[in-house]
Amino acid sequence: MTDAAAKDTVDVVVVGAGPTGLLIAGDLAAAGLSVTLVEQRPRTAANLTRAFAVHARTLELLDARGLADQLVSTGRRIDRVRPFGGMPLSLQRLRSRYPFVLITPQYETEKLLERRALSTGVHIRYDCRITGVRQDRDTVTLTTTTPTTAPAPAPAATRPTDRATGPNGSGQVIHARHVVGADGVRSTVRAALGLPFPGRAAVVRSMVLADVRLTDPPQDVLTANGTADAFAFLVPFGDGWYRAIAWRHDTPAAPVENSDPAAPDDPAAPVVDGDPVDLDEVRAITRLALGTDHGMHDARWTSRFQSDERQVPRYRVGRVFLAGDAAHVHSPAGGLGMNTGLQDAANLSWKLAAVLHGQAPDPEALLDSYHRERHPVGRRVLRVSGALVRTVMVGGPVLRTARRLATGVLARVGPAQDRALATLSGLGITYPPPAGARRPTLAGRRAPDLPLAGGLRLYEALRAGGFVLVTPAGRATPPGTPLSHHHWRADDRTACVLVRPDGYLAWSAEHASDPEIAAATAGWLLPRPTPAKP
């Protein structure tokens, strides 16, 4: 790439201003990179608010950015669940600073992440549609169109783009060193890469969603039940509004809008909202499933959609990456969708930053590790959410009795509870250890939020945005290495650990010497260049 071309190239373009895109854009800008975030919605158009649950692991990742407490203040904590009317499961068993599920509308998460992205210098282009993606060895080129009525563009000094003209309005060409497609189930970026989105419908009947008020709220915090005819789920946001999710087994499927350009002939392509939802329909299904609609009224938002299980085969193609619903989509059971996308973002952002800053000893291997680590997680989420929704939909008295017995056993057996809660909360996610790591190893496991010297917690130390080395007192910091070095608060701890920016262990050892620590960090980070003498 020529010097002139480099000056006109943004470091990363993120496509899609949902939670996943906003988090990764904010991370990259906070790391000192130039970031443009492209969103096809107008600035004034609200995003869909289907997501409402934020799990413990996601809150830990937000804590590592100083955002968790702000988000917790917007919603309601749920520390127990009662699956299918059985015995309650306590989330207090979770070994986390956040032993609960936070119930808050998706727009609260987006507002928080948008403020952070703007404060770190992300340039957000709303009302901008991607029309083409091509890449070469050094650059990704995006072509875009915007309506002719769009606001005037920002000064050229802040927009490394070329002017182009489209048939429906003004357009531009944006050059980037890398692109992240976080543009949802109908991803334009995925289609431009020519990637398939194989899978199937998780629920062959259309689901209806609504945010409502209740005259007679249920006693249980979470209310869910399924019968041979219907299923309904009610969850409180904590401000008087409830999210209702329901479907009836004999309801015709929503009209399919074949909106995936990568698979124009696929009759099971992802669908978007179908026919309008009437509150009377939500009430009727809820009464079938729960025996009452709890005085449902004043719907402020409704939606209808068909739930699919799909996953792209590759999360990386050259300089382009896919994250969130652009890479995987599944049923809403378990509230895992937004959480999985945010965890995609946390995994990818530090790797892109390390490569773009020249800190990665093996840049290609590090970027490839995004697919290697996150694709199996996405596949597991598809299986778990699919199993949950099929359990909900079981028909016949024998199968429903078996379901109640199974949930009863789960509530009584501690280890089974722990495994189930670790899966749903995200705390149980582990990544494969690095090639050549000695076995057994803790590398790839989640790092718990342990206390450090000086009254600091590990996840507070991670707010610096880089690797964190924690050792007993007296160990030397590897010279020139871009990391934060802290000591344990307890004097009896002998382990030395290197924690990745996403809160997973990169390396650990007992009684490691200074040369061993230096060698371990060198496998992940290159020393900072020594400034030339004047």
Side-chain angles (χ1 to χ4, degrees):
M1 185 188 306
T2 66
D3 291 341
K7 292 178 181 178
D8 291 333
T9 301
V10 73
D11 287 323
V12 181
V13 169
V14 179
V15 184
T20 300
L22 287 166
L23 182 65
I24 196 167
D27 281 359
L28 294 168
L33 299 169
S34 58
V35 182
T36 295
L37 179 57
V38 176
E39 169 57 53
Q40 70 177 14
R41 287 181 290 118
R43 178 66 182 85
T44 56
N47 198 3
L48 289 176
T49 182
R50 287 177 179 159
F52 57 84
V54 185
H55 287 291
R57 184 54 182 161
T58 303
L59 288 169
E60 289 183 343
L61 296 176
L62 293 175
D63 184 31
R65 292 153 176 81
L67 302 173
D69 290 344
Q70 296 176 62
L71 188 61
V72 169
S73 69
T74 69
R76 180 167 181 175
R77 308 180 191 196
I78 305 298
D79 61 6
R80 61 183 176 86
V81 294
R82 189 190 300 270
F84 313 114
M87 294 182 63
L89 301 180
S90 174
L91 275 67
Q92 294 295 314
R93 298 178 67 92
L94 295 174
R95 297 181 179 179
S96 171
R97 184 179 177 84
Y98 306 99
F100 52 83
V101 175
L102 176 68
I103 304 300
T104 189
Q106 179 176 320
Y107 59 75
E108 294 289 357
T109 304
E110 290 191 2
K111 285 194 297 185
L112 179 66
L113 295 175
E114 183 186 50
R115 286 197 299 268
R116 183 213 182 207
L118 291 171
S119 71
T120 57
V122 175
H123 173 56
I124 304 180
R125 294 181 55 185
Y126 284 98
D127 211 6
C128 181
R129 184 181 296 272
I130 300 297
T131 58
V133 181
R134 69 179 190 274
Q135 60 179 312
D136 55 31
R137 189 186 66 176
D138 301 313
T139 311
V140 185
T141 301
L142 301 172
T143 55
T144 71
T145 60
T146 57
T148 54
T149 56
T158 65
R159 298 173 70 89
T161 60
D162 299 326
R163 179 65 60 186
T165 302
N168 299 317
S170 62
Q172 289 183 324
V173 174
I174 310 176
H175 305 290
R177 297 171 70 183
H178 291 282
V179 167
V180 179
D183 49 341
V185 64
R186 295 180 292 155
S187 170
T188 301
V189 175
R190 186 186 65 238
L193 295 174
L195 291 174
F197 203 33
R200 60 180 178 175
V203 179
V204 297
R205 307 301 181 189
S206 64
M207 286 185 174
V208 293
L209 292 81
D211 285 354
V212 298
R213 290 191 181 276
L214 302 178
T215 302
D216 180 26
Q219 291 185 347
D220 284 341
V221 176
L222 297 181
T223 303
N225 191 48
T227 69
D229 300 313
F231 172 81
F233 177 76
L234 295 174
V235 58
F237 286 123
D239 58 357
W241 291 95
Y242 282 73
R243 164 63 52 80
I245 302 176
W247 71 89
R248 186 171 176 169
H249 292 177
D250 59 357
T251 302
V256 174
E257 178 183 328
N258 187 4
S259 53
D260 187 352
D265 299 321
D266 182 1
V271 294
V272 292
D273 300 327
D275 294 337
V277 177
D278 186 272
L279 183 57
D280 287 339
E281 180 184 1
V282 184
R283 290 192 188 107
I285 299 174
T286 304
R287 286 195 295 268
L288 276 174
L290 304 181
T292 175
D293 62 14
H294 293 282
M296 194 177 292
H297 62 94
D298 289 343
R300 66 179 177 183
W301 172 83
T302 61
S303 179
R304 184 194 306 276
F305 75 104
Q306 181 169 307
S307 177
D308 280 15
E309 296 174 347
R310 297 180 182 277
Q311 186 179 31
V312 73
R314 288 186 289 164
Y315 283 16
R316 180 193 181 193
V317 178
R319 292 180 168 269
V320 183
F321 303 82
L322 296 174
D325 285 354
H328 46 78
V329 65
H330 40 80
S331 87
L336 301 173
M338 182 180 70
N339 291 270
T340 305
L342 289 171
Q343 291 164 28
D344 288 344
N347 183 284
L348 178 58
S349 61
W350 71 267
K351 295 173 181 178
L352 278 172
V355 169
L356 289 169
H357 283 311
Q359 297 173 348
D362 190 339
E364 288 302 307
L366 186 61
L367 294 179
D368 282 342
S369 72
Y370 168 64
H371 171 87
R372 183 171 69 97
E373 292 180 345
R374 293 304 301 172
H375 191 274
V377 174
R379 186 170 61 243
R380 192 177 313 124
V381 168
L382 260 68
R383 289 200 301 264
V384 170
S385 62
L388 286 172
V389 78
R390 288 176 179 83
T391 300
V392 163
M393 294 179 66
V394 295
V398 174
L399 291 175
R400 290 197 298 275
T401 299
R403 182 182 67 188
R404 286 194 295 271
L405 289 173
T407 54
V409 170
L410 177 64
R412 290 180 174 87
V413 180
Q417 279 193 55
D418 291 339
R419 286 193 297 272
L421 293 174
T423 298
L424 291 175
S425 67
L427 299 180
I429 293 173
T430 60
Y431 296 136
R438 292 183 179 180
R439 306 296 180 97
T441 179
L442 298 178
R445 296 189 182 183
R446 160 187 166 266
D449 190 16
L450 295 172
L452 307 179
L456 202 65
R457 296 183 290 110
L458 173 59
Y459 280 71
E460 291 175 318
L462 285 168
R463 293 175 187 175
F467 279 75
V468 174
L469 175 66
V470 187
T471 68
R475 297 293 190 271
T477 303
T481 306
L483 53 73
S484 301
H485 186 183
H486 297 269
H487 301 300
W488 299 114
R489 186 178 303 176
D491 293 334
D492 59 347
R493 283 192 173 271
T494 59
C496 299
V497 299
L498 182 65
V499 183
R500 303 178 354 174
D502 59 353
Y504 289 85
L505 293 173
W507 167 83
S508 69
E510 291 285 339
H511 306 288
S513 64
D514 288 348
E516 289 172 328
I517 294 171
T521 58
W524 288 93
L525 293 164
L526 294 175
R528 296 185 182 94
T530 303
K533 294 183 179 180

